[in-house]
Amino acid sequence: MSDEPILRIRGLAKSFGDNRVLRGMDLDVKQGDCIAILGASGSGKSTFLRCLNFMEIPTGGEVTHAGKTIGTARPGKPRLYPESELTRVRQKVGMVFQQFNLFPHMTVLGNVTEGLRIVQRMDRAAADTRARAELDRVGLAEKADEYPSRLSGGQKQRVAIARALALAPDLMLFDEPTSALDPELVGEVLTVIRGLAEEGRTMLLVTHEVGFAYHVANRVIFMADGLIQEEGPPELVLKSPQNPRTQAFLARHKQFEF
C-alpha cells in the first residue's frame, strides 16, 4: 500500500436543516484499505458514504481524492461543487446501495454497460466485453441476457456490484449491501466482497455483519452521533473496544462469532 491516502477527509459535516447528521469527520483511506463502518441506525453512516461520492453535498469540511481537494473554496461560504467535477469523481468512487437500483427494462448486460456507454462513451463492443468480464467476476456470466425480474435478491446485488466495478473505480463504497436480502442470500454477496478485498480493492463498507467485518476488514471504525468514536484494527476495536459507546453496541451483537 502507498503511504499517501487515496482519500483524505477533514472536518466533513452535513446538516439537513437543523439536523446535524455529520459533525466533523476525519479519516484517511489508503490504497488497499478495506474499512468496515459500524454503528447504530441514525449514526450517520449512510450519509457519510453518500457525501464521499457527492450524492449528498457536504455542508462543511473537505474531501481530497487522489491528491486533489474536491470543489472550490469560497471565503465565508461553503465550498462550491461544479457538477462536471462531481461527475468525474463519481466515476472513480463507485457506490453499491442497499437497494439494487437496476433498470427493470434492461437486461443484466444492459444494466452493466449503461454507465460505460453513456458516461464513458465506450462503444458497444468494448462495453459488452468489459461488462461480461465483471459479470464473470461476480459469478453471473450466464445471466447476462436475463432481466432483473428473473434474478434473486443476491443476484441483483451482485449485478449492482459488477455495474460499479465496470467503471474501474479506485474506491468502492458499500452501503449495507446485504440489509435488503433474505438471510440465505447474504453469503453469496459477502463472498464477492471478500474476493474484492483479497484482490486489494480499496473499499469502505457500512455493515451490521460484525463477524464479516472482523475477518475481512483491515480497519474498523465505529460511528455514533455523526462522529467517529473509535477506530483501529478489527482485533482491537471488536475484541477490546475502549469507547463505552462501542462496548454497548458490540454487547448487542454477541450472536456473531469472530
Side-chain angles (χ1 to χ4, degrees):
M1 300 180 193
S2 168
D3 287 337
E4 182 64 27
I6 192 171
L7 197 69
R8 185 186 296 275
I9 301 148
R10 292 292 182 268
L12 189 67
K14 178 63 181 179
S15 297
F16 297 94
D18 293 332
N19 183 19
R20 296 176 63 205
V21 178
L22 301 180
R23 298 168 176 263
M25 301 276 290
D26 293 339
L27 185 68
D28 285 348
V29 181
K30 294 184 179 181
Q31 189 79 40
D33 271 344
C34 179
I35 301 176
I37 303 172
L38 305 179
S41 296
S43 57
K45 306 183 302 296
S46 293
T47 299
F48 178 49
L49 287 196
R50 292 171 68 88
C51 284
L52 296 185
N53 86 331
F54 294 88
M55 294 190 67
E56 297 288 354
I57 301 301
T59 49
E62 295 181 351
V63 177
T64 301
H65 174 253
K68 183 180 185 304
T69 301
I70 300 163
T72 304
R74 298 184 295 174
K77 296 181 179 180
R79 295 183 73 85
L80 180 67
Y81 294 99
E83 191 61 33
S84 58
E85 183 177 10
L86 298 188
T87 297
R88 291 192 296 273
V89 171
R90 290 173 188 137
Q91 291 185 58
K92 290 299 183 182
V93 182
M95 185 93 169
V96 177
F97 303 90
Q98 297 177 33
Q99 301 297 332
F100 325 116
N101 297 342
L102 300 180
F103 295 113
H105 63 286
M106 292 183 180
T107 64
V108 165
L109 186 66
N111 269 279
V112 180
T113 59
E114 179 74 0
L116 295 171
R117 297 180 61 205
I118 300 301
V119 179
Q120 295 192 352
R121 302 188 184 281
M122 192 176 288
D123 67 66
R124 181 183 294 275
D128 283 0
T129 297
R130 182 180 293 183
R132 290 183 187 278
E134 297 303 342
L135 287 169
D136 185 57
R137 184 194 300 271
V138 301
L140 290 175
E142 78 285 358
K143 299 292 185 181
D145 297 323
E146 297 279 9
Y147 285 88
S149 61
R150 297 178 60 85
L151 303 181
S152 70
Q155 289 170 334
K156 290 176 183 176
Q157 191 61 291
R158 285 189 282 155
V159 172
I161 293 172
R163 178 179 58 188
L165 289 171
L167 293 172
D170 52 27
L171 174 67
M172 289 282 287
L173 310 176
F174 294 88
D175 186 9
E176 296 190 43
T178 61
S179 65
L181 301 180
D182 293 333
E184 66 270 19
L185 301 176
V186 169
E188 66 187 67
V189 173
L190 293 182
T191 296
V192 169
I193 297 173
R194 178 194 284 271
L196 296 176
E198 290 171 350
E199 290 177 11
R201 297 266 180 174
T202 309
M203 302 188 291
L204 274 71
L205 171 72
V206 170
T207 184
H208 289 292
E209 304 285 347
V210 178
F212 182 78
Y214 177 80
H215 288 292
V216 176
N218 70 310
R219 291 164 62 197
V220 173
I221 66 175
F222 174 74
M223 284 184 62
D225 299 328
L227 290 168
I228 295 174
Q229 304 287 342
E230 191 157 359
E231 175 186 356
E235 187 74 22
L236 292 179
V237 175
L238 299 180
K239 285 196 168 183
S240 304
Q242 301 301 304
N243 188 294
R245 301 288 293 273
T246 317
Q247 294 168 358
F249 175 83
L250 291 172
R252 298 194 296 272
H253 290 77
K254 287 298 184 185
Q255 70 269 34
F256 291 95
E257 295 295 331
F258 56 85

